[in-house]
Amino acid sequence: MERVQFQQEQMLAELKDLVQKGLFTQNEIKQIMKKRTAYETALVRRVAKKNDFLRYAAYEMGLEALRRKRVERIKIPKGPPTISDYALVRRQFHIFERALKKFKSDIGLWIQYIQVAKKEGARSLVGRITARALQLFPNVPAFYILAASHELEYLSPSAARTLLQRGIRLNAESVEMWREYVKMEMGFVESMRRRWNVLGIIVEDKGKGKERERTSLDEEEVEQMEVDAAEPEGDESEAARREILSGAIVKSVISSAAKALPKPELFMSLHNVISKYPSPLSLRTSLLDHLHDLLQQILPHDAQAIKLTATRFLTPEVEGAELVDRLKEANETLSRAVKDAISNGRRETREEREALDALAQVYGEFINEWCRKDELDPSLKAYLLGSLHSLIQFSIDSEIPLSSLLSTHLALLTYFSTFISSGDVPLLPSPTKIVKLARKYTSLPAVRSSYHIWLARLEAEKRLLGPVGGKDGEVEKTWKEARANVSGEGVIEVWIWGVNVTGEDANKHGEVEESVKVLEVLSVSRSSNKKNTFVDSFFIL
C-alpha cells in the first residue's frame, strides 16, 4: 500500500489547483480520490491485469474531457499554464508507461498508447513511443505505418519515406506495407501538384507518348527528383516536375512491390488504393495501366489476376450503355479463360486441375455477385445466367463438369424463383424444372462427391418443393443420398445442413440427436487427422 500512498501524494497539487480554479468541488475531488485509490490498489496487486490499466486510463480520459468542457463553460481567462492544465493528460501517459512495463510484448497496448498520444497532440512523445516500439517489434508493419503517418502529419515526407523503406526491407512480404508506401507516394505527388499551382508554376507535358517511360527508379534518383522539383528554375527542374506529375516515383514503387511480392493480393490491394485515391484521372489511368501490365506479365494464368483485369473498368460510377459494354467485356473475358483452360487440356496434373477449378470458382463468384445486385437490369441478369448455363453445357460436353459453376447456377435459379418475381428475370425455368436440373447435376460422376453441388440441390429442393420437403420426404432422402456420396472436407457441411433442417422438428425420428452424435465424432476425427475411411464408416447410418 506504500506505492498507493505515494501515488496519492503526487495527486495533491493538481487536485488543489482544480478546486482553486472552480472546476471541481470538494465533494467531487473526494470522489476522484476514491476512484483513483481503487484503481491504484488494483494495479499493485500480485498479478496485474491489462484491463485494470486500460480502465484507469479511460477514467482519466473522461476526467480530462470534463475538465476541458468546464473550462470552456466558465471561460477562465488565459494565463500562464498551471499544473492542472496538463496533469490529467500526463497521468494518462504515466498509466500507459506503467502498463508497458508489465506487458511489454502486447502490440495492441503500444498502438493504443500511440493513438492516445496523437490525440493529445504530444508530437515528440509519439516519435519516442514509435521508436521504442520499432526497436522491440521490427517485424510489425503497423508501427512503421503509424510512424510514417505521424511524420506526414507534420509535413516530413522524407522521414516518412525513410521509415516505410526501412519497414519494407524487413517486411518485404507485407501487402499492407507496400499499399501504404504507394499511398504515401501518391500523396507526395498530389502535394507537389498543389504547391506548384499555388506558386504559379505550369508543368507542360512535352513529347507525350514519345518520351522513354521510366518505371524503375532507385532511391538516389527519387531524392534527386525531389531536390530538383523544389527548385523552380532550369530545364532539369522542369523535367523532374514532369516525371513526378506523370507518376514516375509511384510506378517505381509499384514495380518494386510486384517484384518483391508477386501475389494477386498485392495487385488487388494496390488497384483499390489507386482507384479510390483523389488524384487526377490521367495520373490514375496511367498508374492503373502500369499496374495491370505488370499483372499480366507476372501472373498471366492466375484466376484472381484474370478477374481483376477483366473487371477493372466495372467501377461504381459506370452506368447506362457503358455498364452494359463493360459487363459484357468482363463476362466474355472470364468465360473465355475458363473455356480455353478446358480446351487446351490444362487439367492433366493436379496443379492444372486446381488452376481450372480456381478459374471456374472466380467466374461463378463474378456471376453470383452481379446477378444479386438489385439495381442491375433484369435483361442483364438473364444474359449472365444464360452465359453461365452455356459454359456449363460446354464443360459437360467436354466431360469436365465444374462443381463451382453447377452450384452457382442452381443457387441463382433457386434465389430468383424464391425471392424475385418470375417476370423480373426473363426465361426463368419453373420450380419443377429447376429441381430436375439439380438432380441431373448431382448425377454427373465427376462432381458426385462435391459437397457444393449437393448443398445447392438440397437448398433448391427445400425451397421449391414446399415446407414439407415434397412428397414422401424427398428432401430427407436427398440428404441421405448426399451423405452417402460426399467425401472429404465437405462431409461435416452436409451433416450440419441436415441438423439445421431437421432441428425445425425436434421429434422427427430422433435424427437431431443422431446427427449431433455423428458431428461430434466427425469433429474429433478431423482434429486428430484420421483418414476419411474412419469417417465414411458412419455413412451406413
Side-chain angles (χ1 to χ4, degrees), residues 1-9 11 33-34 36-46 98:
M1 295 302 292
E2 292 180 359
R3 285 181 288 176
V4 176
Q5 185 176 359
F6 173 77
Q7 294 295 335
Q8 290 174 334
E9 292 174 357
M11 306 173 191
M33 282 293 294
K34 185 177 180 180
R36 285 181 172 178
T37 301
Y39 284 124
E40 290 290 345
T41 303
L43 298 189
V44 298
R45 58 184 168 186
R46 186 178 300 239
R98 294 164 66 188

Coordinates of all heavy atoms in Angstrom, one line a residue, residues 1-9 11 33-34 36-46 98:
M1 N 0.8 -1.2 0.0 CA 0.0 0.0 0.0 C 0.9 1.3 0.0 O 0.4 2.4 -0.2 CB -0.9 0.0 1.2 CG -1.9 -1.1 1.2 SD -3.0 -1.1 -0.2 CE -3.9 0.4 0.1
E2 N 2.2 1.1 0.3 CA 3.0 2.3 0.2 C 3.0 2.9 -1.1 O 3.1 4.2 -1.3 CB 4.4 1.9 0.7 CG 4.5 1.5 2.1 CD 5.9 1.1 2.5 OE1 6.8 1.2 1.6 OE2 6.1 0.8 3.7
R3 N 3.0 2.1 -2.2 CA 3.0 2.7 -3.6 C 1.7 3.4 -3.8 O 1.7 4.4 -4.5 CB 3.2 1.5 -4.6 CG 4.7 1.0 -4.6 CD 4.8 -0.1 -5.6 NE 4.2 -1.3 -5.2 CZ 4.2 -2.4 -6.0 NH1 4.7 -2.4 -7.2 NH2 3.6 -3.5 -5.5
V4 N 0.6 2.9 -3.3 CA -0.7 3.6 -3.5 C -0.6 5.0 -2.8 O -1.1 6.0 -3.3 CB -1.8 2.7 -2.9 CG1 -3.1 3.5 -3.0 CG2 -1.9 1.4 -3.7
Q5 N -0.1 5.0 -1.6 CA 0.0 6.2 -0.8 C 0.9 7.2 -1.6 O 0.7 8.4 -1.6 CB 0.5 6.0 0.6 CG 0.5 7.2 1.5 CD 0.9 6.9 2.9 OE1 1.2 5.7 3.2 NE2 1.0 7.9 3.7
F6 N 2.0 6.7 -2.1 CA 2.9 7.6 -2.9 C 2.2 8.2 -4.1 O 2.3 9.4 -4.3 CB 4.1 6.8 -3.4 CG 5.0 7.5 -4.3 CD1 5.9 8.5 -3.8 CD2 5.0 7.3 -5.7 CE1 6.7 9.2 -4.6 CE2 5.8 8.1 -6.5 CZ 6.7 9.0 -6.0
Q7 N 1.4 7.4 -4.8 CA 0.6 8.0 -5.9 C -0.4 9.0 -5.4 O -0.6 10.0 -6.1 CB -0.1 6.9 -6.7 CG 0.9 5.9 -7.4 CD 1.7 6.5 -8.5 OE1 1.3 7.6 -9.1 NE2 2.9 6.0 -8.8
Q8 N -1.0 8.8 -4.3 CA -2.0 9.7 -3.8 C -1.3 11.1 -3.5 O -1.9 12.1 -3.7 CB -2.6 9.2 -2.5 CG -3.6 8.0 -2.8 CD -4.1 7.4 -1.5 OE1 -3.4 7.5 -0.4 NE2 -5.3 6.8 -1.6
E9 N -0.1 11.0 -2.9 CA 0.6 12.2 -2.6 C 0.9 13.0 -3.9 O 0.9 14.3 -3.8 CB 1.9 11.9 -1.8 CG 1.6 11.4 -0.4 CD 2.9 10.9 0.3 OE1 3.9 11.0 -0.4 OE2 2.8 10.5 1.4
M11 N -0.9 13.4 -6.3 CA -2.1 14.0 -6.9 C -2.5 15.3 -6.2 O -3.3 16.1 -6.7 CB -3.3 13.0 -6.8 CG -3.1 11.6 -7.3 SD -4.5 10.6 -6.9 CE -3.8 9.0 -7.4
M33 N -10.6 11.1 -5.7 CA -9.6 10.4 -4.9 C -10.0 9.0 -4.6 O -9.2 8.0 -4.6 CB -9.3 11.2 -3.6 CG -8.5 12.4 -3.7 SD -6.8 12.0 -4.2 CE -6.2 11.1 -2.7
K34 N -11.3 8.8 -4.3 CA -11.8 7.4 -4.0 C -11.6 6.5 -5.2 O -11.2 5.4 -5.1 CB -13.2 7.5 -3.6 CG -13.8 6.2 -3.2 CD -15.3 6.4 -2.7 CE -15.9 5.1 -2.2 NZ -17.3 5.3 -1.8
R36 N -9.5 6.9 -7.8 CA -8.1 6.7 -8.1 C -7.5 5.7 -7.2 O -6.6 4.9 -7.6 CB -7.4 8.0 -8.1 CG -7.6 8.9 -9.3 CD -6.8 10.2 -9.2 NE -6.9 11.0 -10.5 CZ -6.4 12.2 -10.7 NH1 -5.7 12.7 -9.7 NH2 -6.5 12.8 -11.8
T37 N -7.9 5.8 -5.9 CA -7.3 4.9 -4.9 C -7.7 3.4 -5.3 O -6.9 2.5 -5.1 CB -7.8 5.2 -3.5 OG1 -7.4 6.6 -3.2 CG2 -7.3 4.3 -2.5
A38 N -8.9 3.2 -5.7 CA -9.4 1.9 -6.1 C -8.6 1.4 -7.3 O -8.2 0.2 -7.3 CB -10.9 1.9 -6.4
Y39 N -8.4 2.3 -8.3 CA -7.6 1.8 -9.5 C -6.2 1.6 -9.1 O -5.6 0.6 -9.6 CB -7.7 2.9 -10.5 CG -9.0 3.0 -11.3 CD1 -9.7 4.2 -11.3 CD2 -9.5 1.9 -12.0 CE1 -10.9 4.2 -12.0 CE2 -10.7 1.9 -12.6 CZ -11.4 3.1 -12.7 OH -12.6 3.2 -13.3
E40 N -5.6 2.4 -8.3 CA -4.2 2.2 -7.9 C -4.0 0.9 -7.1 O -3.0 0.2 -7.3 CB -3.7 3.4 -7.1 CG -3.5 4.7 -7.8 CD -2.3 4.6 -8.8 OE1 -1.5 3.7 -8.7 OE2 -2.3 5.5 -9.7
T41 N -5.0 0.6 -6.2 CA -4.9 -0.6 -5.5 C -5.0 -1.9 -6.4 O -4.3 -2.9 -6.2 CB -6.1 -0.7 -4.5 OG1 -6.0 0.5 -3.6 CG2 -6.0 -2.0 -3.6
A42 N -5.8 -1.8 -7.5 CA -5.9 -2.9 -8.4 C -4.5 -3.0 -9.2 O -4.2 -4.2 -9.5 CB -7.0 -2.6 -9.4
L43 N -3.8 -1.9 -9.4 CA -2.6 -2.0 -10.2 C -1.4 -2.7 -9.4 O -0.5 -3.2 -10.1 CB -2.2 -0.6 -10.7 CG -3.2 0.1 -11.6 CD1 -2.5 1.3 -12.2 CD2 -3.6 -0.8 -12.8
V44 N -1.5 -2.6 -8.1 CA -0.3 -3.1 -7.3 C -0.5 -4.5 -6.8 O 0.3 -5.0 -6.1 CB 0.0 -2.1 -6.1 CG1 0.3 -0.7 -6.6 CG2 -1.2 -2.1 -5.2
R45 N -1.6 -5.1 -7.2 CA -1.7 -6.5 -6.7 C -0.7 -7.4 -7.4 O -0.1 -7.1 -8.4 CB -3.2 -7.0 -6.9 CG -3.6 -7.0 -8.4 CD -5.1 -7.4 -8.4 NE -5.7 -7.1 -9.7 CZ -7.0 -7.3 -9.9 NH1 -7.8 -7.7 -8.9 NH2 -7.5 -7.1 -11.1
R46 N -0.6 -8.6 -6.9 CA 0.4 -9.5 -7.3 C 0.4 -9.8 -8.8 O 1.4 -9.8 -9.5 CB 0.3 -10.8 -6.5 CG 1.5 -11.8 -6.7 CD 1.3 -13.0 -5.8 NE 1.3 -12.6 -4.4 CZ 2.2 -13.0 -3.5 NH1 3.1 -13.9 -3.9 NH2 2.1 -12.6 -2.3
R98 N 3.4 2.6 -17.2 CA 3.4 1.5 -16.2 C 2.8 0.2 -16.7 O 3.3 -0.9 -16.4 CB 2.5 2.0 -15.0 CG 3.1 3.2 -14.2 CD 2.1 3.8 -13.3 NE 1.7 2.9 -12.2 CZ 0.8 3.2 -11.3 NH1 0.1 4.4 -11.5 NH2 0.4 2.4 -10.4

